[in-house]
Amino acid sequence: MKKIITIVGARPQFIKIPLISQEIRKFAKEVVVHTGQHYDANMSDIFFEELGIPRPDYNLGIGSMERGEQIKLMREKIKEVLVKEKPNLVVIYGDTNSTLAGAQAANQLNIPIAHIEAGMRSYNQEMSEEQNRVESDKVSALLFCSTRSAMENLTKEGMTKGVFLTGDVMADIQKKVSGDHDQLSILEELSLKSKEYILATVHRQANTDDETNLSNIINAFNQIDETIIFPLHPRTKKYLEEYNLKLSDKIKVIEPLGYKEMIILEANAKLILTDSGGVQKEAYLAEVPCITLRNETEWTETVDSGWNQLAGAETQKIVELVKNYPTPKNHPDFLGDGEAYLKISQILKDYLKI
Ligand code: UD1
Ligand code: UDP
């Protein structure tokens, strides 16, 4: 039986794997490697439980540290697993340090790599994620693109072989869980009424590790005269404390949520404020206007259609957009038909000649 090693490590990756994992297991042996980049129960275990993802076969327990050191440690430990398991293919997801470590490890051992969510670009070279994506794409044999613009980005960089437009695996799972109403109690628990609150997430390095940017964002939140639900990423928690930033009573800080609860909170929000890649996409699919707390986005179609406005970390711009959000223009489907995972698995199967 052919063997596929799936490498994950951070929250968005746990959400990308369940549907593909289910398919892969119909025709190959899958071994899941968790690098341990995220380790808090509500940043990791919760997703395995609620999405029924098979427990990782290996947890490398790497944890938090400086990026270069982290990638190096992950790469060496992943290589040990690859040498032992001898897979026919390695599958990597997205753009985190775990993605790049997996790409480097497999590449150094000449094992073919499939990259899911390939071709995304912000063209901001300072972002760790941009460096991770570009380097991972370069060494991948199979590049699965969520959007047409991702395909075009790869073409511009001369990558045309092994490139497939499949749609987006996060859109697939969102469609599947959006019908679940068993999580609606989260609205009651937080005493919220549908469309009467704003949902906010912040975790990008450029916004958290820079005191001016984080202060500007929190100043904007403090000036908004509406309830803001703010599930707090551990990175942001650390810096809010370090900079001693105070939040108004209108801002309800909560622990990071499970995925299904998050999807419900997004769908019922009046507006979403975020610097997350995944949350921008989810806002679009839920047809909830989004203000992105960055100066650029990889999901350019959300901006082109008017459902996403880029505000960076500029206080007045954020406050003004919350008050006067321009009416979105149209809502084209650009993330696929909800079956990206089936297309990807079929291509993997063909590639492995199964
Ligand atoms: C990482 C990814 C980012 C992704 C995000 C998803 C990189 C370069 N960044 O950013 O692309 O959008 O995950 O959430 O790979 N921490 C905890 N507990 C945890 C995890 C993290 O306390 O379980 C804290 C630690 O203080 C750590 C900090 O959060 O230093 C940042 O974690 P890290 O994984 O380095 O980056 P993220 O900001 O989570
Ligand atoms: N998410 C979640 N709970 C939270 C915040 C986010 O389940 O408290 C989900 C969100 O719905 C999306 C994914 O995590 O599916 C996005 O991950 P994140 O924002 O951490 O990273 P990014 O997408 O920016 O890489």
Side-chain angles (χ1 to χ4, degrees):
M1 197 173 203
K2 298 277 168 75
K3 192 186 277 184
I4 294 179
I5 291 211
T6 295
I7 296 172
V8 291
R11 175 166 68 187
Q13 294 167 329
F14 310 136
I15 292 156
K16 296 179 216 261
I17 62 170
L19 295 173
I20 299 216
S21 198
Q22 217 176 61
E23 289 305 309
I24 284 179
R25 283 167 192 246
K26 292 180 185 165
F27 59 83
K29 174 163 173 52
E30 187 191 33
V31 174
V32 176
V33 178
H34 184 325
T35 62
Q37 180 172 347
H38 285 176
Y39 42 85
D40 290 348
N42 57 18
M43 295 294 288
S44 174
D45 288 3
I46 189 169
F47 304 105
F48 287 82
E49 283 154 22
E50 68 172 336
L51 298 173
I53 311 167
R55 290 273 135 199
D57 299 273
Y58 294 86
N59 189 321
L60 307 180
I62 303 290
S64 308
M65 65 195 75
E66 185 276 321
R67 175 170 181 258
E69 185 65 14
Q70 187 181 49
I71 293 173
K72 191 170 129 206
L73 266 180
M74 286 177 184
R75 180 180 62 229
E76 293 315 309
K77 287 212 172 186
I78 294 170
K79 272 166 75 176
E80 284 171 25
V81 176
L82 298 182
V83 167
K84 185 170 158 226
E85 295 282 351
K86 300 183 183 50
N88 303 92
L89 184 75
V90 165
V91 182
I92 54 171
Y93 289 83
D95 57 15
T96 71
N97 293 346
S98 300
T99 313
L100 179 57
Q104 289 179 344
N107 186 44
Q108 287 176 9
L109 295 169
N110 288 318
I111 301 166
I113 302 161
H115 186 197
I116 294 173
E117 230 182 66
M120 302 314 303
R121 296 289 182 269
S122 63
Y123 296 104
N124 174 354
Q125 316 300 337
E126 283 176 20
M127 279 179 86
S128 307
E129 291 85 351
E130 184 76 355
Q131 298 167 18
N132 293 344
R133 294 174 194 128
V134 172
E135 240 193 275
S136 299
D137 283 342
K138 276 193 189 135
V139 296
S140 294
L142 297 173
L143 296 130
F144 295 114
C145 296
S146 297
T147 64
R148 194 163 292 284
S149 59
M151 297 267 289
E152 288 163 6
N153 293 337
L154 291 178
T155 305
K156 276 187 236 155
E157 291 172 32
M159 281 178 267
T160 49
K161 214 172 138 248
V163 177
F164 300 90
L165 178 62
T166 55
D168 186 70
V169 292
M170 286 179 81
D172 295 354
I173 189 146
Q174 187 172 347
K175 281 195 181 160
K176 291 231 180 314
V177 307
S178 289
D180 291 358
H181 293 293
D182 56 335
Q183 305 295 325
L184 272 172
S185 59
I186 184 73
L187 294 182
E188 273 168 43
E189 267 169 48
L190 297 170
S191 310
L192 297 172
K193 289 213 176 76
S194 185
K195 303 296 165 187
E196 290 186 6
Y197 65 91
I198 291 172
L199 178 67
T201 80
V202 179
H203 75 273
R204 285 285 156 200
Q205 193 176 354
N207 284 335
T208 55
D209 302 24
D210 180 315
E211 187 169 353
T212 307
N213 285 349
L214 192 56
S215 305
N216 288 347
I217 290 171
I218 297 302
N219 275 340
F221 288 8
N222 284 339
Q223 286 177 39
I224 295 167
D225 195 22
E226 302 193 53
T227 301
I228 300 181
I229 303 300
F230 191 17
L232 201 57
H233 189 289
R235 175 178 210 120
T236 316
K237 182 169 193 257
K238 188 171 85 181
Y239 285 102
L240 282 178
E241 283 162 11
E242 190 174 316
Y243 308 146
N244 198 21
L245 296 176
K246 296 281 173 267
L247 299 152
S248 87
D249 294 343
K250 289 254 169 199
I251 306 172
K252 288 194 185 173
V253 172
I254 55 174
E255 290 291 314
L257 293 160
Y259 174 70
K260 291 183 181 174
E261 288 185 332
M262 188 65 183
I263 289 293
I264 292 285
L265 276 190
E266 287 170 354
N268 288 283
K270 178 179 168 187
L271 187 74
I272 292 177
L273 297 166
T274 192
D275 58 10
S276 156
V279 177
Q280 286 175 64
K281 260 190 294 194
E282 289 163 355
Y284 182 81
L285 289 168
E287 301 193 25
V288 175
C290 180
I291 298 171
T292 291
L293 309 169
R294 289 177 51 197
N295 296 315
E296 73 283 308
T297 181
E298 299 77 26
W299 306 98
T300 50
E301 295 85 347
T302 58
V303 173
D304 298 342
S305 57
W307 286 91
N308 191 3
Q309 302 284 335
L310 301 177
E314 291 177 47
T315 309
Q316 281 324 311
K317 205 164 173 181
I318 300 166
V319 173
E320 190 47 42
L321 276 169
V322 171
K323 279 193 200 140
N324 296 306
Y325 196 95
T327 310
K329 296 189 275 257
N330 48 23
H331 193 270
D333 280 337
F334 74 95
L335 291 162
D337 58 4
E339 296 198 336
Y341 69 107
L342 293 176
K343 297 188 184 89
I344 292 170
S345 346
Q346 186 57 49
I347 297 165
L348 294 179
K349 205 170 159 188
D350 294 346
Y351 182 83
L352 292 172
K353 299 194 169 55
I354 298 170

